[in-house]
């Protein structure tokens, strides 16, 4: 009995020892809860810009801007894209093949990637080719439309995933066509879709990013990853394009709120960036446009070539460039831009390459004009009056218009300046006589300010053709001008000319005749309504050549300087500014190809750190 009690005591002691060894906390304390999973953070890069532009159709002259270029590069599908050297390469995310399949008639066949689709889930298909072709051949104010006008048919195969494009004649540079395709399923039946539907953004995406918001009041365009993109997805969640004035831009780069910036180059932005020193890297990035004056040749005083030449002899192009865009590149040719390989000035030794008041006076006199006692030019009893137009949203263009008006007024020509919306100015034969919204329009935030108007010249100044000292004036519509709102034709148009594409097609698009065809019996006129029957065969040959003939290019330049349907001014230059964190995230952002710009390849950017 004692043995059993002893054994029981040993067992109890052993059990208590075991429990004591296994329990190092009170038995009523609960186990800790598992840690919650980390909350993912959105990755983004903020890109500073100085202007959002007036619209986002990359095929419209009115919508040309750095932001439109960035959006079209990242959002819209293109069959061919430029590589780092600017050479076009097939984008296989859009088309698996593209080749000439017949020479009689000349036919190019595209096999589209079956996975390629818009973010609305509609396929990128033949109807998008048809829509772009139809708009480019029939709408005014388009960019480099000559190649599209050679197309006679666009045929769909394989349920829209194969396209045959038929041309009226051989077109070796067909790879320049069908870039920045637009969504036909959304736009083709929308009233005013070519301009209106894209004024507030791009409704769907066919690229690695999509446009989420365009907030003009806040000055922001937000791009987000296109989650329906079928190829390699973007690394970043968002890219924010934010409009900033130079001081705010510099502060954002200093604090890290802005990683990259692509403003226009100018004194104000350079002064704001100077205190940052080596904390930022700055590169020049020429823009894919040349600012020019288009001189109307189908009516009004400038129908006379001698009057156009007189205007060219009066205008001081270098003074204008220095005042509104001192960091720009002086342009002295009608074809290539100054930043392009092979560019050479083609301007003649005298006027209109440089001002020549005596030549202007002789030309106007030969055209039948005489001067009154106040130095004003008239034809009989009709004063020589010109209307200069600039897009209201394009502040540098408005500054150019005001300076040209100064110079012409000082030479005895009556001038009115109008600034309607760009979409109207570049597409309509007449526009409302709307004066600029201010009497001292500022160029883009990065540029230098420019004087705007000048008082009427003294008789002595008018007689010599010299420009009077400039002072501010409160009027842009002169005495006897049409009432504000009245429809007027524009004699001198300040506009951007697109560069960087197929040179032959570019020249034919800008300076060729608007020739009716069976498919387009009433084609839109070119901006200056210029047509030279002698030059047209040369332009046609250039447009259809695989490599433009140097002799034909020289002939074209010589004729254009003599006829003067336009007066080249300058090629705008932007900046690419990046912080150390921005360089790390973008793998060393640079200017990029001329036509696609600094945001080329942004789908491979990573989140900034530091």
């Amino acid at each position: 009995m004692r043995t059993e009690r002893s054994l029981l005591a040993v067992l109890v002691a052993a059990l208590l020892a075991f429990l004591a060894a296994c329990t190092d906390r009170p038995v009523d304390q609960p186990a800790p809860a598992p840690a919650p999973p980390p909350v993912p953070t959105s990755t983004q890069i903020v890109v500073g810009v100085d202007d959002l532009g007036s619209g986002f159709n990359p095929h419209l002259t009115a919508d040309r801007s750095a932001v439109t270029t960035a959006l079209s590069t990242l959002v819209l599908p293109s069959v061919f894209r430029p590589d780092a050297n600017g050479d076009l390469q097939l984008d296989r995310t859009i088309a698996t093949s593209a080749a000439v399949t017949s020479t009689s008639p000349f036919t190019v066949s595209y096999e589209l990637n079956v996975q390629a689709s818009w973010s609305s889930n509609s396929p990128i298909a033949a109807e998008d080719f048809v829509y772009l072709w139809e708009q480019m051949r029939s709408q005014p104010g388009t960019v480099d439309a000559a190649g599209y006008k050679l197309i006679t048919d666009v045929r769909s195969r394989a349920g829209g995933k194969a396209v045959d494009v038929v041309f009226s004649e051989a077109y070796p540079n067909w790879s320049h066509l069908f870039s920045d395709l637009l969504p036909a399923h959304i736009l083709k039946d929308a009233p005013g879709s070519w301009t209106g539907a894209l004024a507030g953004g791009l409704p769907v995406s066919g690229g690695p990013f999509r446009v989420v918001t365009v907030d003009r009041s806040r000055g922001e365009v937000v791009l987000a990853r296109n989650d329906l993109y079928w190829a390699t997805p973007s690394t970043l969640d968002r890219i924010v394009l934010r409009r900033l004035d130079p001081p705010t831009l510099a502060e954002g780069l200093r604090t890290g709120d802005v990683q990259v910036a692509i403003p226009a180059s100018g004194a104000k932005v350079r002064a704001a960036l100077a205190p940052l020193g080596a904390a930022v890297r700055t590169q020049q990035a020429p823009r894919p446009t040349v600012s020019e004056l288009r001189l109307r040749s189908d009516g009004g005083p400038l129908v006379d070539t001698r009057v156009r030449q007189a205007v060219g002899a009066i205008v001081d192009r270098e003074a204008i460039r220095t005042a509104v865009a001192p960091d720009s590149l002086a342009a002295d040719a009608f074809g290539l831009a100054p930043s392009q390989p092979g560019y050479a000035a083609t301007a003649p030794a005298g006027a209109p390459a440089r001002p020549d008041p005596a030549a202007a006076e002789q030309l106007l006199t030969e055209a039948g004009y005489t001067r009154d006692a106040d130095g004003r030019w008239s034809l009989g009893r009709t004063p020589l009056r010109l209307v200069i137009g600039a897009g209201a949203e394009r502040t540098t263009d408005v500054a150019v218009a005001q300076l040209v008006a100064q110079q012409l007024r000082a030479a005895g020509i009556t001038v009115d300046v109008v600034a309607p919306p760009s979409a109207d100015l570049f597409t309509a034969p007449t526009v409302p006589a709307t004066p600029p919204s201010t009497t001292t329009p500022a160029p883009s935030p990065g540029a230098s300010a420019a004087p705007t108007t000048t008082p009427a010249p003294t008789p002595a100044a008018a007689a010599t053709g010299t420009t009077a000292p400039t002072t501010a004036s409160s009027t842009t519509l002169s005495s006897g001008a049409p009432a504000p709102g009245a429809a007027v034709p524009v004699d001198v148009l300040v506009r951007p000319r697109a560069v960087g594409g197929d040179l032959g097609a570019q020249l034919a698009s800008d300076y060729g005749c608007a020739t009716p065809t069976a498919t387009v019996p009433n084609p839109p006129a070119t901006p200056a309504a210029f047509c030279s029957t002698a030059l047209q065969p040369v332009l046609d040959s250039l447009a259809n050549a695989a490599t433009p003939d140097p002799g034909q290019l020289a002939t074209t330049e010589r004729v254009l300087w003599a006829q003067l349907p336009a007066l080249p001014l300058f090629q705008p230059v932007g900046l690419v500014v990046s912080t150390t964190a921005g360089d790390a995230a973008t793998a060393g952002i640079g200017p990029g190809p001329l036509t696609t710009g600094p945001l080329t390849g942004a789908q491979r950017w990573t989140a900034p750190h530091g």
Side-chain angles (χ1 to χ4, degrees):
M1 189 71 176
R2 185 166 40 191
T3 301
E4 291 178 354
R5 285 198 297 269
S6 299
L7 181 59
L8 180 60
V10 170
L11 289 175
V12 170
L15 179 60
L16 292 174
F18 175 78
L19 291 175
C22 294
T23 305
D24 56 5
R25 64 177 183 271
V27 294
D28 58 348
Q29 181 176 341
V39 178
T41 58
S42 177
T43 59
Q44 71 174 29
I45 281 182
V46 176
V47 180
V49 300
D50 51 22
D51 184 30
L52 298 187
S54 58
F56 303 102
N57 187 337
H59 304 287
L60 280 177
T61 300
D63 289 357
R64 302 291 289 185
S65 74
V67 170
T68 295
T69 298
L71 265 58
S72 61
T73 298
L74 299 177
V75 175
L76 296 178
S78 294
V79 177
F80 286 84
R81 296 185 185 275
D83 60 16
N85 298 319
D87 299 323
L88 292 180
Q89 304 294 334
L90 181 68
D91 185 345
R92 296 186 180 278
T93 68
I94 304 301
T96 56
S97 69
V100 176
T101 53
S102 174
T103 57
S104 182
F106 189 84
T107 304
V108 178
S109 296
Y110 302 83
E111 303 296 327
L112 303 183
N113 188 328
V114 295
Q115 294 181 301
S117 64
W118 298 101
S119 54
S120 60
N121 281 322
S122 292
I124 296 172
E127 68 169 345
D128 303 314
F129 284 66
V130 172
Y131 176 75
L132 186 58
W133 164 53
E134 290 179 340
Q135 302 305 308
M136 292 295 287
R137 68 179 184 173
S138 61
Q139 294 283 357
T142 54
V143 175
D144 291 351
Y148 290 94
K149 294 177 181 178
L150 295 176
I151 298 173
T152 59
D153 197 10
V154 177
R155 300 168 182 165
S156 173
R157 293 184 288 108
K161 278 297 183 177
V163 187
D164 295 328
V165 178
V166 183
F167 294 78
S168 60
E169 54 191 283
Y171 186 53
N173 292 312
W174 54 268
S175 58
H176 287 270
L177 305 178
F178 299 110
S179 294
D180 299 325
L181 291 167
L182 297 173
H185 67 288
I186 291 177
L187 300 180
K188 64 181 179 180
D189 297 323
S193 63
W194 184 242
T195 53
L198 302 179
L202 299 173
V204 292
S205 172
F209 287 91
R210 59 187 176 88
V211 177
V212 179
T213 58
V214 175
D215 190 333
R216 294 191 180 276
S217 62
R218 295 183 58 191
E220 278 194 355
V221 176
V222 178
L223 301 176
R225 180 192 297 114
N226 178 10
D227 291 330
L228 296 180
Y229 188 54
W230 58 97
T232 304
S234 65
T235 304
L236 291 172
D237 294 314
R238 305 200 318 167
I239 295 177
V240 179
L241 304 175
R242 183 172 296 161
R243 184 181 63 219
L244 302 168
D245 61 27
T248 309
L249 172 62
E251 178 64 12
L253 290 165
R254 187 189 67 80
T255 61
D257 292 335
V258 178
Q259 291 79 40
V260 172
I262 53 172
S265 181
K268 291 183 178 180
V269 70
R270 288 189 178 277
L273 294 174
L276 299 181
V280 295
R281 185 170 64 101
T282 303
Q283 307 166 75
Q284 286 197 329
R287 301 265 170 95
T289 58
V290 167
S291 292
E292 68 177 13
L293 304 178
R294 279 296 174 100
L295 308 180
R296 181 180 172 222
S297 60
D298 68 333
L302 298 185
V303 72
D304 190 324
T305 304
R306 294 168 295 187
V307 181
R308 297 200 299 274
Q309 283 285 352
V311 168
I314 292 168
V315 172
D316 188 337
R317 297 182 300 136
E318 181 59 19
I320 292 169
R321 187 188 72 82
T322 302
V324 303
D327 290 351
S328 66
L329 305 175
D332 285 300
F334 291 90
L336 292 174
S339 71
Q340 291 183 276
Y343 168 81
T346 60
R354 56 183 54 86
D356 189 337
E361 184 166 0
Q362 180 179 346
L363 286 162
L364 289 174
T365 300
E366 291 176 357
Y369 288 87
T370 59
R371 275 182 142 151
D372 61 19
D374 293 328
R376 295 291 180 185
W377 289 99
S378 298
L379 186 62
R381 296 184 177 181
T382 304
L384 175 52
R385 178 189 295 274
L386 298 176
V387 175
I388 303 177
E393 311 91 340
R394 306 182 67 88
T395 54
T396 298
D397 288 1
V398 174
V400 168
Q402 298 279 36
L403 286 169
V404 173
Q406 286 182 24
Q407 296 175 359
L408 295 179
R409 288 168 182 155
I413 297 174
T414 303
V415 178
D416 303 310
V417 178
V418 299
S422 299
D424 296 335
L425 182 66
F426 296 146
T427 59
T430 61
V431 296
T434 307
S437 59
T438 65
T439 58
T440 54
S444 61
S448 302
T452 57
T453 57
T454 185
T458 63
T464 61
T466 57
T467 302
T470 58
T471 59
S473 174
S474 60
T475 180
T476 53
L477 291 178
S478 58
S479 176
V488 296
V490 173
D491 300 297
V492 180
L493 175 66
V494 186
R495 73 185 294 271
R497 171 171 61 86
V499 296
D502 171 21
L503 178 58
Q506 174 187 305
L507 286 166
S509 300
D510 290 333
Y511 309 112
C513 300
T515 306
T517 64
T519 53
V520 186
N522 297 303
T526 59
F530 176 72
C531 179
S532 169
T533 54
L535 182 62
Q536 189 61 39
V538 179
L539 293 175
D540 290 339
S541 179
L542 287 170
N544 297 338
T547 303
D549 178 75
Q552 290 184 328
L553 286 175
T555 297
T556 299
E557 293 281 348
R558 185 171 59 253
V559 171
L560 292 175
W561 280 113
Q563 293 294 316
L564 215 64
L567 192 59
L569 298 176
F570 54 83
Q571 181 182 12
V573 172
L575 296 177
V576 180
V577 187
S578 52
T579 63
T580 301
D583 275 337
T586 63
I589 186 174
L594 181 61
T595 56
T596 54
L599 268 66
T600 302
Q603 63 268 30
R604 296 185 292 274
W605 291 0
T606 59
H609 299 285

